[in-house]
Amino acid sequence: MEKGGYMFQQTRIYALGLVCALFWICLLYFHFQGFEATSFSTTNLQINPNLNQSKLPQPQTVVNHNSSGSLRVFPFTKAMRTADNTTDPCGGRYVYVYDLPSRFNEDMMKECATINKWFDMCEFTTNLGLGPPLKNTEGVFSDDGWYATNQFTVDVIFYNRMKQYECLTNDSSMAAAIFVPFYLGFDAARYLWGYNVSVRDAASLDLVAWLQKRDEWKIMNGKDHFLVGGRITWDFRRLTDEETDWGNKFMFLPAARNMSVLLIESSPWNSNDFAIPYPTYFHPSKDSDVSNWQDRMMKSERKHLFCFAGAPRPDNPKSIRSLLINQCKNSRVGKLLECGPDESKCHSPSNVMKMFQSSVFCLQPQGDSYTRRSAFDSILAGCIPVFFHPGSFYTQYTWHLPKNYTKYSVFIPEDDIRRNVSIEQRLSRIDPNTINKMREEVINLIPRLIYADPRSKLETSKDAFDVSVDAIIRKVTKLRQDMIDGRTDDDFIEELSWKYALLEEGEYIGVHEWDPFFAKQKPDDGNSNSDGFSGDTTKNS
């Protein structure tokens, strides 16, 4: 009995040991299988982005480790991965466009007669924002692509170009950037005069409320969003809620500060707006339209050394316009087209372009604000622009221009003009070979500074729209990569925003020759009056 009991007890011990061994083997097997599966999915989804996505779970996040070792999650994996797909011509370039309620855009077009206090804008919103076709009775223009385009219609032109963008997507998770088709400039314009601040701000606040409810907004709090406003930045920078202050306060809304806002003039001291070109009269529909015009401007006979088209600013003591007008009148090689209230000739596109085409240099002082549309018209005519303030061009359209401004323009500081420096003598000292090279550079810039007809697209050249969208995508992509890599911009000084785009790769911000031009007191009332600008920006010529 004792021997049998002992053998039975041994058998039970052996069986129990075998069960335990099998249990631990199974546990370890499934543990390591699960680890390998997790490792496979994470590694392959990040490192090998060209795998067939239809056979793998769709990733929603990019994951990395921060310095403490904990996981950081980024919800834009799909968008970042599209750039690695070499078979997709739109990889890394997709744009998602919000389907905004019509009150934010199309309804404004139905009320176009009320957009501008001084004249009916309905004429200028035709042809997708290009305005009515220009008649070429004097042979100043080419046969096709010329329109009486208003300088404040970029909102409409840009949106209609975006509708034809080749890399639109209905899947916001694939988007390199998100476009908000809000007619910011038109909204501001209709309420600039005679309306209280609550009316002026209503649509902006409504838009922000609408955006912040969207899942797309919550991904990056709007930092991947952009919109376009066809007016200058000061129309959207009202600092107080005093009824006498100018404009609305869109640019100061926290949500707007997260977005990229593309305007025809940006602020030197703020980082949430970017300047894009004013629209000109030329909107080509094919590449040959552009090249033929460029050839014509290279061969154009230029009998005037310099010219100026504009009106004096007697109410602005800082303006040098009257001095320029006097120099043009007193020079045998200068040409003047006065733009006073009784001078209708200046408001004729044909007259302006004819003078620019026959001049070597075109004087471009500040307009009602830093910039003016005339600078773009002069470049379109192959006329070398002469600037007197760096904020008029060089620190504005940095996406569209070479950093070396001496290649395409002449810079004469305003103080030189106040000291009665002769423009004629200064320009006469430039040798003919240099002038020819500068004119060639100016004419080569034309495609990047014009907006093609929204009903078509240039095939071999990038226009102002293409350059702007590419720049926004680079900006958002860099921001996303910085977030993944844990890079921050703690040293950024917003009040020196104008300097950053002028820096070379690896160059640090420091003393700049243009510091005195931007050391003025910033606008203290949300408009440009305290910097010598007029609140009325309807002309800007």
Side-chain angles (χ1 to χ4, degrees), residues 467-486:
V467 173
S468 301
V469 172
D470 287 351
I472 283 293
I473 288 174
R474 288 196 304 270
K475 176 179 180 289
V476 174
T477 301
K478 181 181 184 303
L479 177 61
R480 288 172 170 174
Q481 193 61 53
D482 286 348
M483 292 172 67
I484 292 171
D485 296 340

Side-chain angles (χ1 to χ4, degrees), residues 350-480:
S350 181
N351 287 335
V352 173
M353 291 299 292
K354 185 190 299 183
M355 184 180 72
F356 287 170
Q357 290 174 30
S358 62
S359 301
V360 178
F361 296 97
C362 290
L363 308 185
Q364 298 297 343
Q366 299 183 58
D368 293 303
S369 60
Y370 281 130
T371 64
R372 62 196 302 243
R373 177 224 177 106
S374 177
F376 295 94
D377 291 335
S378 65
I379 289 176
L380 180 59
C383 187
I384 301 167
V386 180
F387 296 107
F388 305 89
H389 193 295
S392 293
F393 216 68
Y394 308 140
T395 63
Q396 294 284 343
Y397 311 100
T398 55
W399 292 345
H400 301 75
L401 300 170
K403 291 183 179 179
N404 184 358
Y405 64 89
T406 64
K407 295 173 66 176
Y408 66 88
S409 71
V410 174
F411 180 60
I412 303 176
E414 289 180 338
D415 282 346
D416 284 4
I417 302 301
R418 295 185 182 104
R419 288 192 291 264
N420 204 30
V421 166
S422 170
I423 295 173
E424 179 180 334
Q425 290 181 9
R426 182 73 62 89
L427 298 178
S428 297
R429 290 200 293 263
I430 304 175
D431 69 88
N433 288 335
T434 300
I435 288 175
N436 288 335
K437 289 179 182 178
M438 293 175 72
R439 182 182 302 119
E440 184 175 355
E441 186 72 23
V442 165
I443 292 173
N444 286 337
L445 284 175
I446 289 176
R448 301 173 62 84
L449 301 179
I450 59 176
Y451 296 91
D453 191 317
R455 293 160 290 200
S456 58
K457 186 184 185 303
L458 303 181
E459 297 297 329
T460 60
S461 301
K462 289 183 180 292
D463 73 340
F465 169 87
D466 295 318
V467 173
S468 301
V469 172
D470 287 351
I472 283 293
I473 288 174
R474 288 196 304 270
K475 176 179 180 289
V476 174
T477 301
K478 181 181 184 303
L479 177 61
R480 288 172 170 174

Side-chain angles (χ1 to χ4, degrees), residues 48-113:
N48 190 5
N50 293 319
L51 290 174
N52 188 341
Q53 294 186 18
S54 64
K55 297 180 181 180
L56 290 173
Q58 291 298 316
Q60 298 301 315
T61 58
V62 172
V63 181
N64 75 346
H65 292 80
N66 59 21
S67 58
S68 64
S70 60
L71 290 178
R72 300 184 66 197
V73 180
F74 302 94
F76 34 71
T77 305
K78 194 173 180 181
M80 294 289 282
R81 287 183 57 202
T82 63
D84 298 323
N85 186 352
T86 57
T87 64
D88 183 0
C90 288
R93 299 174 54 227
Y94 286 106
V95 172
Y96 177 81
V97 179
Y98 277 125
D99 183 14
L100 289 182
S102 60
R103 66 181 181 275
F104 293 119
N105 42 53
E106 297 304 326
D107 287 353
M108 297 185 202
M109 295 298 91
K110 298 174 184 176
E111 302 173 359
C112 52

Side-chain angles (χ1 to χ4, degrees), residues 308-312 325 329 336-340 343-347:
F308 175 59
I325 290 172
K329 287 180 176 179
L336 175 66
L337 191 61
E338 292 195 74
C339 298
E343 298 289 343
S344 59
K345 290 182 180 180
C346 187
H347 302 291

Side-chain angles (χ1 to χ4, degrees), residues 2-73:
E2 291 179 357
K3 184 176 180 181
Y6 171 76
M7 291 180 63
F8 178 74
Q9 189 175 17
Q10 266 194 324
T11 302
R12 286 195 302 171
I13 292 172
Y14 291 148
L16 182 60
L18 182 61
V19 170
C20 289
L22 288 172
F23 171 79
W24 283 106
I25 289 172
C26 290
L27 183 63
L28 290 171
Y29 174 81
F30 286 112
H31 170 74
F32 284 107
Q33 282 293 98
F35 175 81
E36 290 174 3
T38 302
S39 176
F40 172 82
S41 64
T42 302
T43 303
N44 281 275
L45 289 179
Q46 291 188 49
I47 297 178
N48 190 5
N50 293 319
L51 290 174
N52 188 341
Q53 294 186 18
S54 64
K55 297 180 181 180
L56 290 173
Q58 291 298 316
Q60 298 301 315
T61 58
V62 172
V63 181
N64 75 346
H65 292 80
N66 59 21
S67 58
S68 64
S70 60
L71 290 178
R72 300 184 66 197
V73 180

